[in-house]
Amino acid sequence: MAEQDWMSEVRAMVGREYGRVCAWDEVNAPMIRQWCEMMGVDNPLYTDAAYAASTEYGAIVSPPAMLQAWCLEGLHPNNYPPGSTTENPYEVLRLLESHGFKSVVAVNSDLSFERYVKVGERLYYTTRLDAVGEEKTTALGTGFFVTLIMSFFSEKPTGDEKVGELLFRVFKFRPANVQAAEAPKVEMVQKIKRPKPGVSDDTRFFWDGVAAGKLLIQRCKSCGTLRHPPGPVCVKCHSFEWDTVEASGAGSIHSFVVMHYPEVPPFDHPNPVGLIELDEGVRLVAGLVGAKRNEIAIGQRVQVEFQSFDDGELTLPLFRPVAP
């Protein structure tokens, strides 16, 4: 099948290199420590200066999986430090979207590493549009695989050194059951429902409680330890006996992310998601409502709010910021 004329513009982008995106800060021990705490990583090579000094590396190094984090823009979108490019490395995705390929069904990324990154190094990355595949037709629709390569470098007086690489691949497609963009008919577009949570014997009590407007937390009957997510055994005393306690629903934002891309219906975008620390002492992940992107803050007080979706088929615990 002959490709549309506009695809020649897409093909011409392949191989394009986009300028560097710089890191705001040098690789530093406080950020490494906080990342390890959040991810539950306790390798002393990353946090114990005395231990790290006794190894072949001679000092604290950054966890390899943290590579991408050093060059993120921070809380505000596209807020990169001076010296960063103003080019949009995702322009090919916007071009595909403008021709009706707006949906995403598959995204994958692979990180590879040349070496450990040490405290004091300053990183940046460049982006190359590596490939736009041939048109593929699936049961979901027709689209294209787009592959981007981000190469990470450490600035050196003798010449910058490559330290790692990120491959990002996404499938952009036009849904088979949606009419072409040039002649849309709203009545032919099927309403997309929110994905339902997976429910097991361990978690059923939680979702039954949510449906009833209660935030139930699992409690060990032997030692009283609260735990979330729910599980079959107490991590403290290993007892299998448990009951539940109804939480007040009050807490604070321990951490949060704001999802900007890809835009996945039926969620609103930007889509804020918080790690909520309940006053009872456990944490859970939930959506944030009633707050503008630039008003969300660590430590902000929140209160649970149960909302129903898809004509009452699904109820979710969301959290709304409240006045101090």
Side-chain angles (χ1 to χ4, degrees):
M1 183 176 67
E3 290 186 340
Q4 300 93 329
D5 292 340
W6 58 266
M7 273 303 296
S8 60
E9 184 179 353
V10 171
R11 299 293 177 195
M13 292 181 180
V14 175
R16 182 174 297 182
E17 298 273 357
Y18 297 85
R20 66 176 61 185
V21 173
C22 303
W24 275 106
D25 302 288
E26 294 180 345
V27 176
N28 63 85
M31 287 179 65
I32 293 174
R33 184 182 67 252
Q34 292 165 7
W35 186 92
C36 288
E37 180 184 350
M38 290 298 302
M39 301 302 292
V41 175
D42 58 2
N43 188 334
L45 181 60
Y46 306 145
T47 56
D48 188 329
Y51 173 84
S54 69
T55 68
E56 60 183 297
Y57 305 105
I60 288 175
V61 297
S62 171
M66 198 179 173
L67 181 62
Q68 189 182 9
W70 294 112
C71 295
L72 295 178
E73 64 264 53
L75 294 177
H76 303 290
N78 302 315
N79 181 34
Y80 295 107
S84 299
T85 182
T86 58
E87 299 173 300
N88 178 13
Y90 301 105
E91 60 180 343
V92 67
L93 302 182
R94 298 302 185 192
L95 181 56
L96 288 170
E97 289 172 355
S98 70
H99 290 279
F101 297 90
K102 298 182 178 181
S103 297
V104 175
V105 68
V107 175
N108 72 281
S109 63
D110 293 316
L111 268 173
S112 59
F113 316 100
E114 303 290 330
R115 63 167 175 82
Y116 276 115
V117 174
K118 296 183 178 181
V119 169
E121 294 188 75
R122 186 173 289 275
L123 307 183
Y124 68 87
Y125 72 85
T126 60
T127 304
R128 182 180 79 255
L129 176 56
D130 187 65
V132 177
E134 299 300 318
E135 189 175 77
K136 302 288 185 182
T137 299
T138 70
L140 292 173
T142 300
F144 302 87
F145 280 100
V146 179
T147 305
L148 294 140
I149 303 291
M150 288 79 164
S151 298
F152 288 79
F153 296 88
S154 174
E155 295 181 358
K156 300 286 185 181
T158 56
D160 297 345
E161 180 184 357
K162 186 175 180 180
V163 295
E165 186 174 273
L166 171 67
L167 179 148
F168 174 78
R169 181 177 291 119
V170 59
F171 184 58
K172 297 290 291 183
F173 72 101
R174 178 187 291 137
N177 63 341
V178 179
Q179 206 171 17
E182 56 269 18
K185 289 186 178 180
V186 175
E187 64 271 20
M188 295 186 67
V189 179
Q190 184 178 4
K191 182 180 179 181
I192 299 176
K193 296 183 177 181
R194 285 189 174 233
K196 294 183 178 179
V199 179
S200 67
D201 290 341
D202 292 328
T203 63
R204 185 169 288 105
F205 80 90
F206 177 82
W207 294 110
D208 287 347
V210 168
K214 298 178 180 180
L215 193 61
L216 300 180
I217 303 300
Q218 197 172 41
R219 177 176 58 186
C220 176
K221 293 179 72 173
S222 297
C223 68
T225 299
L226 299 180
R227 62 181 185 263
H228 190 88
V233 62
C234 177
V235 297
K236 212 164 194 180
C237 73
H238 303 157
S239 171
F240 286 89
E241 299 297 322
W242 59 271
D243 58 10
T244 63
V245 59
E246 183 177 353
S248 66
S252 59
I253 298 176
H254 182 80
S255 182
F256 69 94
V257 296
V258 179
M259 300 294 295
H260 292 275
Y261 193 86
E263 296 182 358
V264 180
F267 299 98
D268 295 331
H269 288 86
N271 180 23
V273 180
L275 177 60
I276 309 301
E277 181 157 354
L278 297 176
D279 288 349
E280 288 75 13
V282 297
R283 298 172 185 170
L284 74 162
V285 177
L288 298 172
V289 294
K292 295 181 180 179
R293 162 68 183 80
N294 58 357
E295 295 176 351
I296 303 173
I298 302 297
Q300 189 171 22
R301 295 292 296 173
V302 291
Q303 178 67 42
V304 73
E305 181 175 293
F306 298 96
Q307 292 191 10
S308 295
F309 301 91
D310 305 325
D311 299 323
E313 292 182 14
L314 177 65
T315 301
L316 294 175
L318 306 178
F319 284 81
R320 182 180 296 274
V322 295

